[in-house]
Short mmCIF file of all heavy atoms in Angstrom, two decimals:
data_model
loop_
_atom_site.label_atom_id
_atom_site.label_comp_id
_atom_site.label_asym_id
_atom_site.label_seq_id
_atom_site.Cartn_x
_atom_site.Cartn_y
_atom_site.Cartn_z
N ARG U 149 -4.09 16.95 29.35
CA ARG U 149 -5.31 16.21 29.03
C ARG U 149 -6.51 16.79 29.77
O ARG U 149 -7.59 16.98 29.19
CB ARG U 149 -5.15 14.73 29.39
CG ARG U 149 -4.22 13.97 28.48
CD ARG U 149 -4.10 12.51 28.88
NE ARG U 149 -5.35 11.77 28.72
CZ ARG U 149 -5.50 10.49 28.97
NH1 ARG U 149 -4.46 9.79 29.41
NH2 ARG U 149 -6.66 9.89 28.79
N SER U 150 -6.34 17.09 31.06
CA SER U 150 -7.43 17.67 31.84
C SER U 150 -7.78 19.06 31.34
O SER U 150 -8.96 19.43 31.27
CB SER U 150 -7.04 17.73 33.32
OG SER U 150 -6.87 16.43 33.86
N ALA U 151 -6.76 19.86 31.01
CA ALA U 151 -7.01 21.21 30.51
C ALA U 151 -7.80 21.17 29.21
O ALA U 151 -8.75 21.95 29.01
CB ALA U 151 -5.68 21.93 30.30
N ASP U 152 -7.43 20.27 28.32
CA ASP U 152 -8.14 20.13 27.05
C ASP U 152 -9.57 19.67 27.29
O ASP U 152 -10.53 20.22 26.73
CB ASP U 152 -7.40 19.13 26.17
CG ASP U 152 -8.17 18.77 24.91
OD1 ASP U 152 -8.31 19.64 24.02
OD2 ASP U 152 -8.65 17.62 24.82
N ALA U 153 -9.74 18.67 28.16
CA ALA U 153 -11.06 18.09 28.38
C ALA U 153 -12.03 19.06 29.04
O ALA U 153 -13.22 19.09 28.72
CB ALA U 153 -10.93 16.82 29.24
N ALA U 154 -11.52 19.87 29.98
CA ALA U 154 -12.38 20.77 30.74
C ALA U 154 -12.45 22.17 30.15
O ALA U 154 -13.04 23.07 30.75
CB ALA U 154 -11.89 20.85 32.20
N GLY U 155 -11.83 22.38 29.00
CA GLY U 155 -11.93 23.66 28.32
C GLY U 155 -11.16 24.78 28.98
O GLY U 155 -11.58 25.95 28.95
N VAL U 156 -10.02 24.46 29.58
CA VAL U 156 -9.16 25.51 30.17
C VAL U 156 -8.62 26.40 29.05
O VAL U 156 -8.34 25.93 27.94
CB VAL U 156 -8.01 24.85 30.97
CG1 VAL U 156 -6.96 25.88 31.38
CG2 VAL U 156 -8.57 24.15 32.19
N GLY U 157 -8.47 27.68 29.34
CA GLY U 157 -8.12 28.64 28.30
C GLY U 157 -6.70 28.59 27.80
O GLY U 157 -6.40 29.03 26.69
N GLY U 158 -5.79 28.05 28.60
CA GLY U 158 -4.39 27.97 28.20
C GLY U 158 -3.52 27.60 29.39
O GLY U 158 -4.00 27.54 30.53
N ILE U 159 -2.25 27.35 29.12
CA ILE U 159 -1.31 26.95 30.16
C ILE U 159 -0.04 27.79 30.04
O ILE U 159 0.52 27.91 28.95
CB ILE U 159 -0.97 25.46 30.05
CG1 ILE U 159 -2.20 24.61 30.39
CG2 ILE U 159 0.20 25.09 30.95
CD1 ILE U 159 -1.96 23.11 30.28
N ILE U 160 0.38 28.35 31.17
CA ILE U 160 1.66 29.05 31.25
C ILE U 160 2.60 28.20 32.11
O ILE U 160 2.25 27.84 33.24
CB ILE U 160 1.51 30.45 31.85
CG1 ILE U 160 0.56 31.31 31.01
CG2 ILE U 160 2.87 31.13 31.97
CD1 ILE U 160 0.24 32.66 31.62
N ILE U 161 3.77 27.90 31.58
CA ILE U 161 4.76 27.09 32.29
C ILE U 161 5.91 27.98 32.73
O ILE U 161 6.42 28.79 31.94
CB ILE U 161 5.28 25.96 31.39
CG1 ILE U 161 4.13 25.02 30.99
CG2 ILE U 161 6.39 25.17 32.07
CD1 ILE U 161 4.51 23.98 29.95
N CYS U 162 6.31 27.85 33.99
CA CYS U 162 7.43 28.65 34.48
C CYS U 162 8.23 27.84 35.49
O CYS U 162 7.84 26.74 35.90
CB CYS U 162 6.94 29.96 35.10
SG CYS U 162 5.81 29.77 36.50
#
Side-chain angles (χ1 to χ4, degrees):
R149 288 180 66 178
S150 295
D152 172 70
V156 170
I159 292 179
I160 300 174
I161 298 172
C162 60

